[in-house]
Amino acid sequence: MSQRDLAGLAAAHLRRPGLVMLAGAPGAGRSTLLRRIAATAGSPVFSGGGLAMLSAVPALALSRAVKARLPAHDVPLLAEAVRSRVRGGLLVLDDLQYTDAATLAALTHLSAHVRVVAALRTPHRLPAGTVEHLRAKATAWLDLPPLSPAEATDLARRTAPQLEAAQLEAVVARAGGNPLAVVTLTRAAGAGRGAAAGDIDQVAYAIATALADLPRPARTALAALGLLGRPAPAQLLGAGASALHEAGLVAEVDGGVVAVSAYFAETAAGLLDAEARVELHRALATVTPPAEAARHLAAAGDHAGAYRMALTAADRTAGAERGDLLLFACERPGVTVDPRVRLAAADALLGAGRPHAAARVLSTAAPLGVEADVLRGEALLQAGEPAAARDAVRPVPDAAASAVVAARDRILLLADLAADPPGALDTAGKIAARYPAPPPAVAAALAAVRAAHRVPGWETALQAAGAAGADPLTGRWSAWLLVGHLLADARLGEAAEQARTAGAVAGAGLAYSWQTRFLALADWADVLRGSRPADQEPSPADAAVRHSGDLAERALPADARSYALAATALVEADTGLLAAARARLAGPDTHPATAWVAREAAWLDGQPDRAAQPGTAGSGAGLLAGLRAITTRWAAFDAGGTPGGLPPQIPAGLPGAARSTLTAWATGSGFPAAAEAWSQVVLREQIRCLLAAGLRDSDPQQAVGALLEAEKLADQAGLVVLAGRARRGLRRHHVQRDSRSPRSGSRLTRREVDVLRLVAAGEPTRRIAGQLGISTETVDTHIRSGMRKLGARTRTEAAALALTQLEPARAPGPEGEGR
């Protein structure tokens, strides 16, 4: 129940004499609710309350309310003195926990003749008998519930509108629905962007004051929840759990106990002195699983114990979790780490796709042996430092074990491939002659060289290197190369299929980092291919955007994050959500995919000068290089010439469709053939070639035919901006198109508008459901309904179309979306 609803309920109970009690945790909004109730009283309001520092002063709260000295020595006389002054008014008392016995006793007398509303903070130190007596005399006892996720998000957004959705979600989760905690944490989160930190000290003081009223076991139990950071069994919290339940500070969830507000629990932990905190960490280490126990021991300063416990935990797990635990063990200060532990940590981290961490583990002053040399070389190679990788393995002699020598040769070959691709072919020939039956790692390196030069059969060789049963690290790396080369060659369907297969294998092996890389690359391939009308729901583009959006909210490797951002932003830009795409790509160029999409979005937005700007990330290779060059040609065309006055250059190593398109731009003809080359490859580029044909063909009939085909394909795929360009081109030929024909004309409901507005803001379904307080199924129903009414084929197109129908006051953001 919201505060507005509670205020209405309290007002209903206060139509006649009686006592309405409001109870809630510090910061739950008791004082705000009292003000709401007083504002609707329709009669004089007498407002007072207790004070912590003057809690022993008799009848202070009542004296503050009626602004008179009162006979506190006689409770019936005290009640009559207050009644005679309040009469038909409303008596409002805040902070009842700080009032004296005479005030509390007088309330039960007053409630028979006067309307009284009082707020009581929980926890408190009032005697249990007094509370039971108040409950018995109260007309209504209303416990203030925490804000719903939607209410908390709305409050946080109003407090710091500059925060991103992920930051708001984190604040809301930590605050636990407590309004004061929401405001405080939101201000603190926004402090780095110009918002003041606000009253965080006062909030911490208010929480500390409230926690001081808890029994010591309850304070310790709440502090334990703050240190744990997760739900805990009630038996772990001991005798304090029941007191926390009574105070409303914890709740049951999945058979455990969790703090209603993580912020409160963290504050309770912060109130412990250093010695008490160490003891609590030690105690928690005895009752938690080894992985958690290791971190509690480290927090208690017992790094040797934390090292041993982390090794115990690592022996019980695998994959990325094992790598994390071994890395944790290796980083314990003052502990002599066994070299075998370092080797095991590096191996696990490499398998999980964390090469920088693996290289760091093996960077020690003391030599670790040739096995460590090749592991460190592999880590540096994967981290993009081929020269350092070559230096790391040079000390490995030919007399070393055959597996070590093979690993050395693999790294030397791949380092040569990075530094001197033509020379790597000669090195590959020499290494192949040395290994009549090359071991898997060497075979994978030889396949990589063949793939880089597109030697016939390179796909089969890389697939064999990444097949099931291969060394996990070699298999994942080979699969990554295979997918990357397929993408560069514009074989997007094969790339997506191979990426999803490799991602499933990585996920089964608990290699989360590798799995997210493959999934992000698969989504990127799907978005580039584009979507045509399909019976499936959601559409391919929507599915890719939803998945990429979920990925982008997590802690991802740089490559995975860049591909996820690029996929989401490209669909947003193509469907008219240009402001959202710009905001998503506001950072510096760090990856060819995001660098191209940023320039493509600028071109779609009618900013050819920005679309033609050089970037720091480079243009990439293969397909990406071709797309970047094509966007540059379009920007030059829109600007009325070639950027910088230079003749257009066609990069080497492009897929056939990209080369055909750039050749058409260079010669001024051949766009229809280029469009056909993009068919079944990249839909949006097929449309752009048709647009170019329509804009540059001197034959009006052929130009109109190309534009009509471009409009049709763009409409079917929901590419709003490209469809608009096609219609503008048609108007030059005096062909008027009714872009409203597929829409039903029915008005959107308010809820459909709210849902589509959040879709336009980039929110996934689960967060829209949380913000609006509805189920995910209901969200999907509203989206489908909006799509039907607007004639949209994707949810992003529906969001863009909905924004064009909203009046400026309802449009999200200062600029709105699209053009």
Side-chain angles (χ1 to χ4, degrees):
M1 185 179 293
S2 67
Q3 277 210 359
R4 192 177 301 278
D5 294 333
L6 279 175
L9 180 59
H13 284 292
L14 291 170
R15 289 173 183 164
R16 57 183 60 86
L19 171 63
V20 172
M21 292 291 301
L22 309 175
R30 301 182 315 279
S31 299
T32 301
L33 185 54
L34 285 177
R35 288 193 294 271
R36 282 180 182 271
I37 295 169
T40 61
S43 60
V45 175
F46 298 83
S47 182
L51 294 173
M53 65 183 67
L54 299 175
S55 57
V57 177
L60 174 66
L62 296 172
S63 296
R64 293 176 65 201
V66 299
K67 297 178 174 55
R69 295 185 64 180
L70 298 172
H73 61 282
D74 186 322
V75 171
L77 186 58
L78 170 63
E80 178 58 26
V82 173
R83 186 199 65 77
S84 64
R85 288 168 171 81
V86 175
R87 296 182 180 274
L90 176 66
L91 177 61
V92 178
L93 296 179
D94 200 357
D95 287 323
L96 209 62
Q97 70 277 3
Y98 295 137
T99 56
D100 65 302
T103 298
L104 295 170
L107 283 184
T108 59
H109 293 277
L110 285 167
S111 61
H113 308 284
V114 174
R115 297 182 298 150
V116 184
V117 58
L120 175 65
R121 187 206 68 201
T122 57
H124 53 73
R125 292 188 177 181
L126 297 183
T130 300
V131 175
E132 288 303 317
H133 186 62
L134 286 172
R135 280 187 178 274
K137 292 292 184 179
T139 308
W141 187 288
L142 305 178
D143 291 306
L144 273 68
L147 298 176
S148 69
E151 293 168 332
T153 301
D154 180 64
L155 175 59
R157 186 176 284 115
R158 284 187 280 111
T159 303
Q162 76 273 29
L163 291 185
E164 297 176 355
Q167 293 173 295
L168 290 173
E169 186 176 15
V171 164
V172 169
R174 188 177 171 209
N178 184 278
L180 192 57
V182 170
V183 171
T184 299
L185 294 174
T186 306
R187 287 177 177 170
R193 299 182 178 221
D199 53 356
I200 189 166
D201 292 335
Q202 290 92 320
V203 175
Y205 175 78
I207 296 171
T209 303
L211 296 181
D213 288 342
L214 288 170
R216 183 179 180 83
R219 292 199 303 271
T220 303
L222 190 59
L225 286 173
L227 296 180
L228 282 170
R230 63 168 178 83
Q235 58 269 26
L236 187 150
L237 301 180
S242 59
L244 292 177
H245 273 292
E246 292 174 7
L249 295 176
V250 296
E252 295 285 345
V253 55
D254 296 330
V257 176
V258 64
V260 171
S261 170
Y263 182 47
F264 278 31
E266 293 161 11
T267 302
L271 293 173
L272 297 172
D273 58 46
E275 184 177 350
R277 190 176 298 108
V278 166
E279 288 304 312
L280 186 52
H281 274 300
R282 288 186 180 277
L284 290 173
T286 65
V287 294
T288 52
E292 283 186 78
R295 287 172 168 77
H296 285 299
L297 289 171
D302 183 2
H303 294 292
Y307 173 80
R308 293 190 296 271
M309 191 63 74
L311 296 185
T312 300
D315 288 340
R316 301 179 183 180
T317 188
E321 187 177 357
R322 173 178 167 81
D324 287 338
L325 287 164
L326 291 173
L327 176 63
F328 175 83
C330 291
E331 292 179 338
R332 292 307 91 215
V335 176
T336 301
V337 181
D338 189 318
R340 292 172 297 179
V341 173
R342 292 190 179 276
L343 289 174
D347 187 55
L349 290 166
L350 278 173
R354 300 180 59 190
H356 293 90
R360 188 171 71 248
V361 163
L362 296 172
S363 299
T364 62
L368 297 174
V370 292
E371 290 185 23
D373 289 339
V374 294
L375 269 177
R376 186 165 181 271
E378 182 68 40
L380 292 168
L381 186 67
Q382 290 192 32
E385 302 178 39
R390 184 188 292 112
D391 293 340
V393 300
R394 284 193 190 280
V396 177
D398 292 338
S402 58
V404 174
V405 173
R408 178 202 65 184
D409 291 344
R410 161 193 160 80
I411 293 164
L412 290 173
L413 175 57
L414 293 176
D416 282 350
L417 179 61
D420 181 19
L425 271 176
D426 293 335
T427 306
K430 295 173 184 177
I431 289 180
R434 188 184 308 166
Y435 295 96
V442 175
L446 292 170
V449 174
R450 296 191 187 103
H453 293 85
R454 299 302 192 271
V455 175
W458 66 269
E459 307 101 315
T460 305
L462 276 180
Q463 282 177 336
D471 167 66
L473 175 59
T474 301
R476 290 162 194 156
W477 178 82
S478 299
W480 181 256
L481 283 181
L482 174 61
V483 173
H485 287 316
L486 290 173
L487 271 171
D489 289 352
R491 296 163 62 177
L492 301 178
E494 296 172 72
E497 182 180 354
Q498 292 288 342
R500 289 197 169 87
T501 300
V505 173
L510 304 181
Y512 162 77
S513 180
W514 279 107
Q515 182 188 26
T516 55
R517 279 186 173 96
F518 286 119
L519 293 179
L521 211 54
D523 289 338
W524 171 241
D526 284 343
V527 166
L528 281 179
R529 291 173 70 196
S531 61
R532 289 179 170 82
D535 295 333
Q536 66 195 80
E537 288 189 4
S539 72
D542 278 343
V545 167
R546 185 179 303 178
H547 193 225
S548 293
D550 288 342
L551 279 177
E553 294 170 9
R554 304 190 223 165
L556 296 179
D559 271 345
R561 176 169 293 280
S562 295
Y563 283 121
L565 288 175
T568 306
L570 182 58
V571 174
E572 288 174 335
D574 275 339
T575 52
L577 303 181
L578 291 159
R582 287 196 303 270
R584 198 177 295 278
L585 299 169
D589 291 336
T590 56
H591 191 276
T594 52
W596 169 64
V597 175
R599 280 146 187 79
E600 182 68 8
W603 174 75
L604 290 168
D605 203 17
Q607 303 177 59
D609 53 333
R610 291 185 58 191
Q613 286 179 353
T616 58
S619 59
L623 176 61
L624 265 178
L627 293 174
R628 178 74 172 263
I630 291 168
T631 298
T632 302
R633 301 298 182 269
W634 269 108
F637 176 77
D638 285 358
T642 303
L646 298 175
Q649 300 294 323
I650 300 178
L654 299 185
R659 179 167 292 279
S660 297
T661 304
L662 293 172
T663 301
W665 276 109
T667 62
S669 63
F671 285 109
E676 184 60 29
W678 285 113
S679 177
Q680 307 300 323
V681 180
V682 179
L683 175 63
R684 66 186 313 281
E685 292 309 316
Q686 180 185 6
I687 295 169
R688 288 215 290 181
C689 282
L690 291 169
L691 284 174
L695 295 174
R696 303 198 59 169
D697 200 312
S698 58
D699 184 338
Q701 186 174 356
Q702 292 185 6
V704 168
L707 290 170
L708 287 173
E709 181 66 14
E711 179 197 32
K712 173 186 171 184
L713 292 175
D715 271 339
Q716 287 177 344
L719 304 182
V720 176
V721 183
L722 293 180
R725 283 188 173 243
R727 281 188 271 274
R728 288 199 296 274
L730 287 167
R731 285 196 291 272
R732 294 193 189 106
H733 292 279
H734 309 291
V735 178
Q736 297 297 324
R737 310 297 295 157
D738 184 1
S739 61
R740 298 170 297 172
S741 57
R743 305 178 197 168
S744 70
S746 300
R747 293 181 60 84
L748 295 173
T749 66
R750 177 58 183 268
R751 182 61 87 189
E752 287 165 355
V753 168
D754 291 340
V755 169
L756 291 175
R757 178 165 48 81
L758 291 171
V759 171
E763 300 283 17
T765 298
R766 59 183 174 79
R767 278 221 302 269
I768 295 174
Q771 292 183 40
L772 298 181
I774 56 181
S775 69
T776 55
E777 292 79 8
T778 303
V779 171
D780 287 333
T781 298
H782 287 311
I783 291 173
R784 286 194 295 271
S785 176
M787 289 170 60
R788 184 179 65 255
K789 291 179 179 180
L790 295 167
R793 291 164 179 82
T794 68
R795 59 190 270 152
T796 43
E797 182 189 4
L801 293 172
L803 291 183
T804 65
Q805 296 187 3
L806 298 179
E807 62 271 24
R810 294 272 302 280
E815 303 177 44
E817 301 285 354
R819 291 175 58 79

